[in-house]
Amino acid sequence: MYTSRQLGRTAGPPAHEPAFLYAPLSATPTGTSGAITPNNPWARFNQAAPMAVTAQKKAITNHAKGSSGSPSEAPNEWSLASAGYGPMGGGIIKTKRLLTLAFDDKEAVWSLPETFAEVEEIARNWIQPPEGARFDFRIPSEYASLLASRLVHGPYLSIVNEETYQIAIDRMQVIRIEIVSDAPPPPEEEPSPPPPPPPVFEMPCEFDLELFPGHRVALGTICTSEDLDMSRDEDGTLVDGSFWGCLKITHTDEQHAMEFRGTRVSPSPSTTSTSLSLPLPTDLVMDHRTVERLAVASRPSTVKSSIRIFSPKEDNIEIGIYFSPMWTLTSSFPPAEKEGEQKCKWHVKTKPGGVIEHLGTSVVMSELFYEATPDTSVMSLSGFVTRSNSYAMPLASFMVHLTKVLDSFGIPMTARSSFISNNFPAFSLHRNIAFRFMPPKSINRAIELWCTHTVPITWTRIFLMWRGVSDDELGSTFIPAGMGEKEANEKDWKSVIEYKEEASDTALFSVSEISAIECA
């Protein structure tokens, strides 16, 4: 007889479990039969083995039910241990069943849902497929349950409804479902923005001040704030860098204040500002208006001209310009055809009423426009407008005077308005304007117009040269020299430009040009 100690067990089974659970299930020695004999006690255990397994499964099933006999609230969290049955060989353990969703080259893990509808909802919220896109599910055979794997003969098991889903996940702890869709891959999760820097409530301040030439003082203090961040403004813009401007310090009996207004000229490397970053002398003080004027002043002076052609009938002509070596064409519209460095021309069709059709682009306009730049390295434009040859007056008076002069030259209202509106932004930067009109002979030496029309041509060329002057220069230079507003109103400008009355006769062929240049 085999004793319980010889079978590797304790002296006896626990009182609450049947004795046959502690017998080997398949331990018949070699050469023995299955009959129950005094010399073959193993047959009794072999017959009892199926009964033991069935009894254990029933116990597990009863354990997974509630007190009322219904399934527990989370049956997917109960499973059998892999080491067998009994208190020493395993039993019931609580584990979480997991679902892996795979699409394209991305994967995500969730708790395994109970129903197919929940899986579909999770998958759609994850990849967000567009309306009408294909959207199917499949499970690789090696990930499906044993029952489902027996039903397929390929590498995948399609999941199309609740029944196929439940068969595929039967008794599976981990399931992998692949999404088959022509939707784009799920969007990448945007990284969360970094936390904002802590506010600055205290920082040291140093001032190096020159009270008068040769006498400098240094002030060192601490700036504090109770609740306002001193490093940023109200919209969160970081305030740092170097500033040029005006520091105003006030000390009276009851008022002590310090105020600074300035422009950033050298931003810190951490910012992307496009502020001016050129090295500036330490004695230069400017604000944003000064910076804007410096940008305008740095532009090269150019003459802006418009040409109008009046013809009593339709005709195809060529009109062009010869430039002296000190002038260069910079732009034109419609595009002029260049013939070398100093010559250009337009092929146009003239029509009654001042209509011009450019034959190269079929553009119909009333003017031809061009800009030319002088070579300032060989001549100074400021010398062309002085108190000896020009008149000066306040801006408002100049605009009225200019409008009346252009009207006396027979310039149509639309042409006058266009000329004034194109040049007014430059005029308005100055309080006073000094100006003169050039005679045709002087203009032709620099810029000469030509035309292939065979009948006589009446030319009217208006060339305005001007510059801004200060109040001091107006009062101390131009007015004492007799070149002020009063004298300008008495000037016969028609004789200066050699105006001909035939220019206003619509039955004759005429060409009119209006130009202006700032002699800064």
Side-chain angles (χ1 to χ4, degrees):
M1 291 293 292
Y2 285 86
T3 65
S4 59
R5 186 176 301 276
Q6 290 173 321
L7 294 176
R9 296 289 184 175
T10 58
H16 63 279
E17 293 189 3
F20 61 78
L21 290 180
Y22 289 82
L25 299 183
S26 181
T28 304
T30 304
T32 63
S33 64
I36 302 176
T37 64
N39 296 327
N40 186 15
W42 297 102
R44 184 180 302 277
F45 294 110
N46 289 338
Q47 293 176 359
M51 298 173 59
V53 174
T54 302
Q56 182 72 355
K57 288 185 176 180
K58 290 182 178 180
I60 293 170
T61 303
N62 294 331
H63 187 69
K65 293 183 179 180
S67 58
S68 61
S70 60
S72 61
E73 294 181 0
N76 64 325
E77 295 186 355
W78 296 94
S79 64
L80 295 176
S82 59
Y85 302 101
M88 300 301 294
I92 299 176
I93 60 174
K94 189 174 181 179
T95 60
K96 197 171 186 111
R97 303 176 70 186
L98 300 177
L99 165 66
T100 300
L101 284 180
F103 179 67
D104 197 41
D105 59 345
K106 295 179 172 56
E107 294 183 352
V109 179
W110 282 272
S111 295
L112 182 63
E114 293 293 333
T115 63
F116 176 69
E118 295 179 61
V119 174
E120 185 174 11
E121 181 181 1
I122 292 173
R124 288 187 178 275
N125 291 337
W126 181 41
I127 70 172
Q128 300 177 1
E131 185 176 357
R134 179 189 177 189
F135 198 77
D136 300 318
F137 299 96
R138 69 185 185 187
I139 298 179
S141 299
E142 60 269 22
Y143 286 93
S145 66
L146 181 61
L147 176 60
S149 299
R150 291 174 177 175
L151 301 177
V152 297
H153 300 283
Y156 297 102
L157 170 64
S158 296
I159 306 299
V160 295
N161 52 30
E162 183 69 26
E163 182 180 2
T164 54
Y165 175 70
Q166 294 298 336
I167 293 175
I169 68 171
D170 182 49
R171 302 183 185 181
M172 297 297 295
Q173 288 300 116
V174 178
I175 195 76
R176 176 186 176 89
I177 297 181
E178 297 181 358
I179 302 173
V180 182
S181 176
D182 52 7
E188 296 286 348
E189 295 185 2
E190 296 184 0
S192 57
V200 177
F201 298 119
E202 179 178 312
M203 60 182 179
C205 298
E206 297 181 1
F207 301 90
D208 184 7
L209 308 176
E210 186 175 16
L211 300 182
F212 49 84
H215 183 73
R216 307 177 71 92
V217 297
L219 298 180
T221 184
I222 298 293
C223 292
T224 60
S225 172
E226 294 183 358
D227 55 356
L228 296 179
D229 186 359
M230 293 190 292
S231 64
R232 299 177 183 274
D233 63 3
E234 295 180 354
D235 62 357
T237 303
L238 182 65
V239 180
D240 69 343
S242 299
F243 294 81
W244 291 98
C246 179
L247 175 65
K248 182 180 179 181
I249 302 176
T250 303
H251 291 296
T252 62
D253 294 340
E254 298 180 355
Q255 181 182 7
H256 302 275
M258 182 182 299
E259 181 181 3
F260 177 79
R261 297 178 182 271
T263 301
R264 181 166 60 177
V265 294
S266 56
S268 65
S270 60
T271 64
T272 57
S273 173
T274 57
S275 302
L276 181 65
S277 58
L278 299 176
L280 299 174
T282 56
D283 58 349
L284 177 63
V285 177
M286 71 180 100
D287 59 8
H288 68 280
R289 294 171 297 179
T290 306
V291 175
E292 292 175 355
R293 293 195 178 191
L294 287 175
V296 173
S298 63
R299 300 172 184 170
S301 297
T302 59
V303 58
K304 301 178 180 180
S305 302
S306 59
I307 303 172
R308 299 173 62 91
I309 305 174
F310 300 92
S311 176
K313 62 179 181 179
E314 288 192 7
D315 197 0
N316 292 344
I317 64 171
E318 289 184 1
I319 185 169
I321 310 172
Y322 289 114
F323 294 98
S324 70
M326 291 185 296
W327 289 83
T328 303
L329 177 69
T330 55
S331 62
S332 62
F333 186 82
E337 179 183 344
K338 286 190 175 183
E339 295 183 349
E341 294 293 332
Q342 310 303 133
K343 182 181 178 181
C344 69
K345 64 180 181 180
W346 291 273
H347 295 272
V348 299
K349 176 187 287 187
T350 60
K351 300 179 181 181
V355 179
I356 305 172
E357 179 182 355
H358 184 242
L359 298 179
T361 59
S362 300
V363 173
V364 179
M365 304 182 66
S366 61
E367 299 176 337
L368 303 175
F369 175 81
Y370 74 90
E371 285 188 354
T373 305
D375 186 359
T376 55
S377 63
V378 297
M379 62 177 177
S380 174
L381 293 178
S382 59
F384 287 91
V385 181
T386 64
R387 65 177 182 177
S388 62
N389 56 21
S390 304
Y391 298 85
M393 61 185 71
L395 174 63
S397 301
F398 168 73
M399 298 305 300
V400 176
H401 180 76
L402 178 62
T403 304
K404 292 180 178 179
V405 171
L406 294 178
D407 185 29
S408 68
F409 292 160
I411 303 301
M413 182 180 62
T414 55
R416 293 197 308 268
S417 301
S418 175
F419 176 79
I420 292 175
S421 62
N422 289 339
N423 290 277
F424 182 74
F427 294 152
S428 63
L429 295 177
H430 308 279
R431 294 174 55 86
N432 309 290
I433 303 295
F435 69 98
R436 63 181 291 198
F437 290 97
M438 298 295 292
K441 293 181 180 179
S442 300
I443 301 174
N444 290 334
R445 286 196 295 265
I447 303 173
E448 182 181 359
L449 289 180
W450 57 271
C451 183
T452 59
H453 202 272
T454 56
V455 300
I457 303 174
T458 303
W459 298 93
T460 302
R461 305 194 68 184
I462 305 170
F463 197 99
L464 173 67
M465 305 187 77
W466 67 277
R467 67 179 177 90
V469 296
S470 62
D471 293 339
D472 292 341
E473 187 177 4
L474 174 64
S476 61
T477 303
F478 285 91
I479 293 180
M483 305 296 282
E485 180 179 354
K486 178 182 178 181
E487 292 78 11
N489 291 331
E490 297 173 354
K491 180 71 174 180
D492 183 11
W493 291 114
K494 284 188 176 181
S495 62
V496 174
I497 69 166
E498 300 178 9
Y499 176 74
K500 299 180 179 61
E501 296 297 335
E502 293 84 354
S504 58
D505 189 349
T506 58
L508 301 177
F509 189 93
S510 62
V511 178
S512 174
E513 179 193 36
I514 309 179
S515 307
I517 185 172
E518 182 178 5
C519 301

